[in-house]
Amino acid sequence: MTVEPERRSIASCCAATPEKIDLSWLRNNPGQLFNIPNLQRERQQMLDNQLVASCEDTCWKAERAGLPSRRTKMLSDSRTHLDVKATPTTLHINLGSDCNLTCSYCTKQYSTAWLRDINTNGPYLDENRFQINTNDRIVLKLGQTAIKSSPGYQLIIDEIRNINTADQIVITGGEPFLYNGLEQLVTSLPQPVNIFTGLGVDSKRLKRILDALPDTVTFTVSAENIDKLYEFNRYGNTWNNFLKNLELIQQKFNYRFCTVVSNLTIHSLAKFREQFGTKQDLVNLCTDPDYLSASVLDPESKLLYQSTMPDLLDTISVEYTLEQKQKLCKYLSRFVEIRNLDLQIFPAHFINWLNE
């Protein structure tokens, strides 16, 4: 189960499209956050071999295009439960969208920096991820303090604290280290916690919070590039600040990396793996939006990366469409223009292909 207290939403997993939590229903059914009616309906659909609408964007769409999906990559395409009323074995808490970075593959839902960017500069493409809605305006207007103090937010946090059945608890954002009170929340949870972080925070703030966390906490660090390509794809952080913050993590905690594989992040991925990779690293394939998929690449890049990273062969080898390439070019043009970035850091054959 994924819970987003800031947006009052919930989903069956970390990849599913979230839906609004009925707070009135939850108040009348305490302790049943995991069993709200729609989640039970989705589980019944799964048991009946029916497609679930909230799985469309990140799983069904990818699989129809011949791409691996989150579902197949995590080997979660087999039945493990038969009762629609259950308790979570994995609890994923998205604390909020506060984030200083506008990562090239990310969106307003997970980054207030992206939200402010779109609010200021307008949509990049005619897609929901680039449109400002009513809920977005509330997030922009209220800020973290007001959101956290609201009764609905506190109700959901209290429900989370009372879930003691999960084998693992994962905390993400946004950037969790921008969440005021992270250390208090972590120490109040019944199981050891894994925190996903992009390390896009001030080193002094990071060290202060790390010093207050128990050494049972583990970290999943989001990164996949080095030097200038890192700064392009993780825009808002510097390579030197990332290295400094990573060293702070290494001093006390166990960690791994989560590498997001897209057609923009793949170009120095092999070097990153060689210099920093661990045996526990996760791979997150970018399939939404599909024009950022690692399959939307020039032929020379495809041949090169298929040989240097054979584990990505199935993804890279899928044929792209002209529409996907056109959307990539339009998106990338806006991304570079607004941030005053230079595409010359990418391989020449990739740039030439974009310009064809």
Side-chain angles (χ1 to χ4, degrees):
M1 173 176 68
T2 292
V3 187
E4 299 183 30
E6 176 186 86
R7 294 177 182 266
R8 315 292 195 269
S9 65
I10 193 168
S12 291
C13 78
C14 63
T17 302
E19 64 159 292
K20 281 288 186 181
I21 296 172
D22 185 338
L23 296 177
S24 297
W25 183 92
L26 189 58
R27 289 189 184 95
N28 293 326
N29 295 271
Q32 293 299 311
L33 179 63
F34 191 59
N35 289 303
I36 66 172
N38 196 55
L39 289 190
Q40 291 194 58
R41 283 194 296 271
E42 286 189 347
R43 291 175 200 144
Q44 189 60 58
Q45 286 178 289
M46 294 176 191
L47 290 172
D48 293 339
N49 289 319
Q50 298 176 8
L51 298 182
V52 177
S54 67
C55 304
E56 170 63 25
D57 286 342
T58 52
C59 286
W60 305 131
K61 185 178 179 181
E63 290 176 35
R64 281 197 297 271
L67 293 167
S69 71
R70 188 76 62 89
R71 184 179 76 101
T72 56
K73 275 288 185 181
M74 298 185 71
L75 304 178
S76 56
D77 50 349
S78 300
R79 286 195 181 103
T80 56
H81 297 71
L82 298 176
D83 192 341
V84 296
K85 191 169 185 179
T87 54
T89 53
T90 299
L91 175 59
H92 170 208
I93 308 167
N94 185 325
L95 286 180
S97 57
D98 277 6
C99 185
N100 293 329
L101 311 185
T102 54
C103 297
S104 61
Y105 61 86
C106 199
T107 180
K108 61 177 184 171
Q109 183 179 345
Y110 305 110
S111 168
T112 47
W114 255 118
L115 184 55
R116 291 191 296 269
D117 179 309
I118 299 167
N119 190 55
T120 300
N121 298 303
Y124 287 43
L125 294 170
D126 185 19
E127 298 174 353
N128 287 336
R129 66 190 291 118
F130 298 121
Q131 305 294 332
I132 301 296
N133 58 37
T134 301
N135 197 57
D136 295 329
R137 293 188 180 92
I138 292 173
V139 172
L140 282 170
K141 180 180 179 180
L142 291 181
Q144 185 182 135
T145 301
I147 291 171
K148 285 175 59 180
S149 63
S150 67
Y153 189 99
Q154 289 303 316
L155 172 65
I156 296 170
I157 289 293
D158 289 342
E159 284 279 324
I160 289 170
R161 285 195 172 107
N162 289 329
I163 294 175
N164 56 14
T165 59
D167 297 328
Q168 58 176 326
I169 297 177
V170 178
I171 291 179
T172 67
E175 172 52 66
F177 282 107
L178 292 178
Y179 179 86
N180 297 322
L182 175 65
E183 54 269 61
Q184 289 87 353
L185 174 63
V186 169
T187 54
S188 73
L189 295 173
Q191 288 87 13
V193 169
N194 180 258
I195 298 175
F196 274 66
T197 173
L199 296 181
V201 293
D202 177 76
S203 295
K204 291 182 179 179
R205 178 184 178 93
L206 177 64
K207 185 178 186 307
R208 175 179 58 78
I209 298 175
L210 289 177
D211 287 344
L213 294 177
D215 58 12
T216 54
V217 174
T218 57
F219 290 92
T220 300
V221 179
S222 296
E224 58 286 304
N225 290 153
I226 60 175
D227 202 23
K228 295 299 182 181
L229 279 171
Y230 171 86
E231 293 179 351
F232 184 100
N233 285 303
R234 299 279 175 172
Y235 185 83
N237 201 12
T238 67
W239 179 239
N240 286 336
N241 189 65
F242 170 78
L243 292 177
K244 186 176 181 180
N245 286 346
L246 180 60
E247 185 177 355
L248 291 174
I249 296 282
Q250 291 170 329
Q251 290 173 5
K252 180 180 175 182
F253 302 95
N254 291 324
Y255 71 96
R256 62 182 176 179
F257 290 101
C258 179
T259 59
V260 177
V261 181
S262 77
N263 49 13
L264 300 178
T265 64
I266 198 170
H267 301 282
S268 66
L269 176 58
K271 290 183 179 179
F272 181 87
R273 286 178 168 183
E274 181 182 346
Q275 295 182 31
F276 297 95
T278 77
K279 293 181 180 179
Q280 293 77 39
D281 287 353
L282 303 177
V283 174
N284 186 2
L285 301 175
C286 183
T287 58
D288 182 27
D290 61 1
Y291 52 83
L292 292 183
S293 166
S295 64
V296 188
L297 271 179
D298 62 288
E300 189 172 339
S301 290
K302 288 199 173 200
L303 287 174
L304 175 61
Y305 302 140
Q306 283 171 352
S307 63
T308 57
M309 294 176 285
D311 60 305
L312 301 178
L313 177 63
D314 290 346
T315 299
I316 298 172
S317 60
V318 174
E319 294 294 326
Y320 64 85
T321 67
L322 178 60
E323 182 183 12
Q324 287 173 327
K325 181 183 177 182
Q326 290 172 338
K327 284 187 175 181
L328 167 64
C329 291
K330 185 174 181 180
Y331 166 74
L332 195 51
S333 175
R334 290 279 287 156
F335 189 85
V336 168
E337 177 189 10
I338 289 170
R339 292 159 184 77
N340 194 28
L341 294 172
D342 188 355
L343 280 178
Q344 298 307 311
I345 63 173
F346 287 91
H349 47 82
F350 178 66
I351 299 173
N352 292 337
W353 172 76
L354 290 172
N355 292 329
E356 288 177 355

